[in-house]
Amino acid sequence: MKFEYHLPVNVVLGRGTSDSIGDKINGLGKRALIVTGGSSTKRSGLLDKAEALLHEKGISSVLFDKITPNPLTTTVYEGAALANAEGCDVVLALGGGSSIDAAKGIAFQAVNGGDINEYIFGRAYSERALPLVAVPTTCGTGSEGNGFAVMTNPETLDKKSLRCKAIIPACSIIDPLLMTSMPKSTLASVGFDALCHNIEAYLSSLSQPITDRMALDGVRLAAQSLRRVYSDADDLDGWDNLCLASLLGGMTIGVCGVTAPHGLEHPVSGLSNVTHGQGLAALVPTVTRHTLPAGREKYDLLAKEIGGAGAKGFIEEIDKLLAEVGLRFRLKDFGVTHNDVPWLAENCLKISLNGLKAHPKFFDRNELEAIYYEAL
């Protein structure tokens, strides 16, 4: 047995922990760029609360509230320019995975400058960024638990992650009480994303004993707690467990990366601006059917965690879960057409080759196209 495990994530998880925002940023900087979307943190009162908690500690703040789903590299440039113009020395991310990923990109870009795509594609390298504190308001992307920041280049439609230890949050404050007002459609998408992260980390050829144990726990917790909170938003124990599943998923992919499901989905949401969890829902059953012969042993174990019997039972349970939480989608529902498939397959190989290689079965271009066609 031989492996390495290194993921320095400082996590504060528990109900009411968002009260510690000021305490956790204190000492990291004196002027914070608050990165968030345009409405949800304002409606919920979290933005006002965060600004007040910073003020109590003598920390001034500047608001950047232009984050959208599937954040763009151009938005990252704009946020970094504001951070530098305002003399910000710390970044506070408030919101879902898009806000956290964009905040990571901004923290990186503000220090390094230049073309961030050079770093995303590994043609340039840096381990410098502004310190970042993340306060997620959704429980699924796992961005609070790793050094990945997914963003889309609007010129090429490449949706790919910046990967850098410097953008691992200095602290992630995970307060389940911030999650309970999510619309059911958002909850379903992010919860399924959390499940997929744990599944893919377990399937990955880069998995190892520590991540295996974390991922299998994450699969069980995600499958059970998503059902619970989808049917009862007042189930606080369920919210606790879904937040933990999301964190475990983020931490495990931080070590193992994602595999084919995410690899195939990113071109879809890069092309059509699809909600990520819905795109995964349209692809995972088909990807799994194509993978079963090569990954049967692992799927047998995954099936036990979600209540299925054997590898085929895993697919049946996934289908049941998708039906229960309103995630039965086809790619055509997002406007994807047969004519898009060749570009999707080509882009998948361009941006996700390493993830495809880590999957139990490598899909060449012909099989990628077959999967996309079947998922239409």
Side-chain angles (χ1 to χ4, degrees), residues 24 61 84 102 105 119 135 155-156 170 187 197 213 236 267 269 274 297 299 322 329 339 354 359 369 371:
K24 298 304 179 184
S61 62
N84 287 332
Y119 296 97
V135 184
E155 295 181 1
T156 63
L187 167 62
H197 286 156
R213 285 156 178 77
L236 293 182
S269 50
V274 174
E297 184 176 337
Y299 279 119
L322 294 176
F329 288 102
N339 292 335
N354 289 336
H359 198 68
E369 289 189 3
I371 292 171

Side-chain angles (χ1 to χ4, degrees), residues 6-301:
H6 177 72
L7 191 64
V9 180
N10 179 24
V11 173
V12 179
L13 191 156
R15 302 173 202 171
T17 51
S18 57
D19 293 343
S20 68
I21 289 173
D23 293 329
K24 298 304 179 184
I25 290 187
N26 194 26
L28 295 175
K30 297 302 294 182
R31 186 161 175 78
L33 182 73
I34 301 177
V35 178
T36 190
S39 59
S40 64
T41 58
K42 297 173 184 176
R43 290 196 310 268
S44 69
L46 176 60
L47 176 59
D48 288 342
K49 174 181 177 178
E51 290 175 333
L53 290 170
L54 293 176
H55 180 73
E56 287 177 6
K57 296 297 180 180
I59 301 167
S60 62
S61 62
V62 178
L63 177 63
F64 184 69
D65 59 356
K66 298 184 179 182
I67 309 306
T68 58
N70 298 313
L72 303 176
T73 52
T74 47
T75 307
V76 166
Y77 292 144
E78 186 178 354
L82 178 63
N84 287 332
E86 291 285 345
C88 297
D89 53 4
V90 64
V91 177
L92 172 62
L94 302 177
S98 294
S99 292
I100 298 175
D101 282 0
K104 289 177 175 179
I106 290 167
F108 182 90
Q109 184 67 20
V111 171
N112 294 286
D115 182 356
I116 200 168
N117 297 288
E118 293 295 298
Y119 296 97
I120 290 172
F121 279 91
R123 296 187 290 264
Y125 177 80
S126 173
E127 286 294 352
R128 298 184 305 131
L130 294 178
L132 168 78
V133 171
V135 184
T137 58
T138 64
C139 39
T141 70
S143 191
E144 66 275 11
N146 58 45
F148 294 178
V150 181
M151 57 195 87
T152 300
N153 180 339
E155 295 181 1
T156 63
L157 302 182
D158 294 336
K159 181 179 178 181
K160 189 171 173 63
S161 60
L162 172 70
R163 301 187 178 194
C164 170
K165 291 178 182 177
I167 59 173
I168 296 173
C171 183
S172 287
I173 302 170
I174 307 167
D175 185 346
L177 297 180
L178 300 180
M179 318 290 173
T180 58
S181 61
M182 265 190 290
K184 280 195 170 185
S185 59
T186 302
L187 167 62
S189 293
V190 298
F192 188 64
D193 191 20
L195 176 62
C196 289
H197 286 156
N198 286 289
I199 290 170
E200 292 176 50
Y202 183 65
L203 291 174
S204 173
S205 62
L206 302 177
S207 69
Q208 37 102 323
I210 293 176
T211 59
D212 282 350
R213 285 156 178 77
M214 293 168 65
L216 286 172
D217 268 357
V219 167
R220 175 178 48 79
L221 288 169
Q224 292 178 354
S225 58
L226 175 56
R227 285 184 165 103
R228 287 174 56 177
V229 299
Y230 189 84
S231 63
D232 180 7
D234 294 325
D235 184 350
L236 293 182
D237 290 340
W239 286 109
D240 290 347
N241 287 335
L242 189 53
C243 287
L244 179 56
S246 173
L247 175 64
L248 290 172
M251 293 172 71
T252 53
I253 65 170
V255 176
C256 307
V258 290
T259 56
H262 271 71
L264 274 88
E265 196 286 326
H266 281 170
V268 173
S269 50
L271 176 68
S272 300
N273 199 28
V274 174
T275 300
H276 177 53
Q278 294 179 0
L280 285 171
L283 285 160
V284 165
T286 303
V287 172
T288 304
R289 282 191 287 271
H290 278 252
T291 308
L292 276 185
R296 190 171 299 276
E297 184 176 337
K298 282 197 168 184
Y299 279 119
D300 284 344
L301 292 173

